[in-house]
Amino acid sequence: CIWGVALALGRKRAGTREWSRNMRGEPMSKVEISYYSDVLCIWAYVAERRLEELADQFRDQIEIVPRYCSVFPDAWGKIERRGGFESFNQHLKEVAARFPHIEVHDDVWLRGRPRTSASPHQFLKAVALVEADDNEAPSRPYLDRLSTRAARKIRQAFFAEALDISDWQVHREITACIGVDYGLIEERLRSSEALAALAIDYGLATDNGIAGSPTFLMNEGRQKLFGNVGYRLLEANVQELLRHPKEDEASWCRTPLV
């Protein structure tokens, strides 16, 4: 495999709660984090490491539910309206210089130019559907899931290798890298199952007032963190929810970050 590794979808029905125990042996509900992103968004690429740190630190205390929102439905039109591909390429390299944990190719948006993020999003929903057919998938840690690995590889293929991730041939190569039969992916695409799953994500993004990518939604939508959110703020929100504050308890974490 020529690209890197990991991001996921441990999907659960909204509102479902699982229970573990705190240090005093009292029941403690699992915190659900709905993570909305567009795979062409540089800020979601930056945030990926923070999401992985949350998964590693809190493990079975949280349930990460990746969802996709549409920030680049017409990528070429959006970039042209913002000064063109060369200007956008320079902007992404300037962002990358501030975050040494990410890699951005010198030719990003100059060589591989996806027309839309909908194509890679649909592919990732197909991977998640294939994964859901595996009875053991829900028990796998977030970082070990096929859908997690596929999403990370999609982002790395675009940002680090400047490939057109709307191209189905790139999807085929990523599928081979994660050890999945592309025929299974194609079934979900042809049947429109993947498209329907993506439409659900886009609809939920609208219903929940998701303003952009990335957005972390917690506490049944009461806590919404948007944009370049630092890890300590994410950690504080999760820790607060694990304490089970009363509904009328004041919380500085409930103010959306814009």
Side-chain angles (χ1 to χ4, degrees):
C1 295
I2 55 174
W3 11 75
V5 238
L7 203 171
L9 191 141
R11 293 172 56 93
K12 281 193 178 296
R13 181 174 297 175
T16 299
R17 288 186 178 271
E18 291 191 3
W19 299 90
S20 54
R21 301 216 167 238
N22 63 20
M23 294 180 66
R24 296 189 299 273
E26 300 167 335
M28 182 173 63
S29 63
K30 179 177 286 193
V31 172
E32 184 175 290
I33 304 171
S34 294
Y35 175 65
Y36 289 84
S37 69
D38 187 303
V39 295
L40 294 179
C41 171
I42 184 78
W43 296 109
Y45 185 43
V46 170
E48 191 173 47
R49 174 71 64 83
R50 296 163 190 167
L51 192 67
E52 292 175 359
E53 288 180 10
L54 279 180
D56 187 54
Q57 178 178 344
F58 292 100
R59 299 181 182 272
D60 62 355
Q61 293 178 293
I62 63 174
E63 178 69 22
I64 298 172
V65 184
R67 297 195 182 279
Y68 297 103
C69 58
S70 185
V71 175
F72 288 88
D74 171 20
W76 287 23
K78 181 170 187 167
I79 291 172
E80 289 292 356
R81 289 190 297 272
R82 294 192 173 191
F85 288 98
E86 290 189 5
S87 175
F88 203 60
N89 163 271
Q90 187 59 37
H91 164 64
L92 262 59
K93 288 192 290 187
E94 289 172 0
V95 170
R98 295 162 50 192
F99 301 97
H101 71 276
I102 65 170
E103 180 182 356
V104 170
H105 197 285
D106 283 344
D107 292 332
V108 65
W109 281 118
L110 299 181
R111 191 170 69 188
R113 293 181 178 180
R115 286 189 173 272
T116 179
S117 59
S119 175
H121 288 169
Q122 187 177 358
F123 163 68
L124 292 172
K125 299 308 288 188
V127 173
L129 288 166
V130 169
E131 182 176 48
D133 288 341
D134 181 353
N135 292 332
E136 296 182 4
S139 64
R140 291 196 186 107
Y142 171 81
L143 297 175
D144 294 340
R145 295 175 188 169
L146 288 174
S147 48
T148 298
R149 294 167 57 202
R152 183 195 286 175
K153 286 178 181 294
I154 275 281
R155 287 189 168 99
Q156 290 182 333
F158 177 65
F159 288 105
E161 301 190 39
L163 297 178
D164 180 357
I165 59 170
S166 65
D167 187 333
W168 284 19
Q169 183 56 41
V170 174
H171 302 171
R172 282 181 177 272
E173 294 176 14
I174 289 175
T175 302
C177 283
I178 63 174
V180 175
D181 179 1
Y182 186 76
L184 297 175
I185 301 297
E186 197 167 33
E187 285 179 18
R188 281 20 179 230
L189 296 171
R190 289 181 179 276
S191 69
S192 297
E193 288 178 82
L195 182 59
L198 180 59
I200 289 171
D201 277 10
Y202 285 177
L204 286 171
T206 299
D207 293 346
N208 287 308
I210 302 302
S213 170
T215 296
F216 299 82
L217 202 64
M218 293 177 254
N219 197 14
E220 298 177 344
R222 296 184 186 91
Q223 290 169 230
K224 186 188 299 181
L225 302 173
F226 163 60
N228 183 29
V229 182
Y231 180 75
R232 294 305 174 199
L233 182 56
L234 291 170
E235 180 185 46
N237 274 259
V238 172
Q239 289 176 335
E240 182 195 7
L241 288 174
L242 288 171
R243 291 193 298 110
H244 292 301
K246 297 176 183 178
E247 287 190 7
D248 59 351
E249 181 179 342
S251 170
W252 65 270
C253 292
R254 288 185 185 160
T255 302
L257 181 69
V258 179

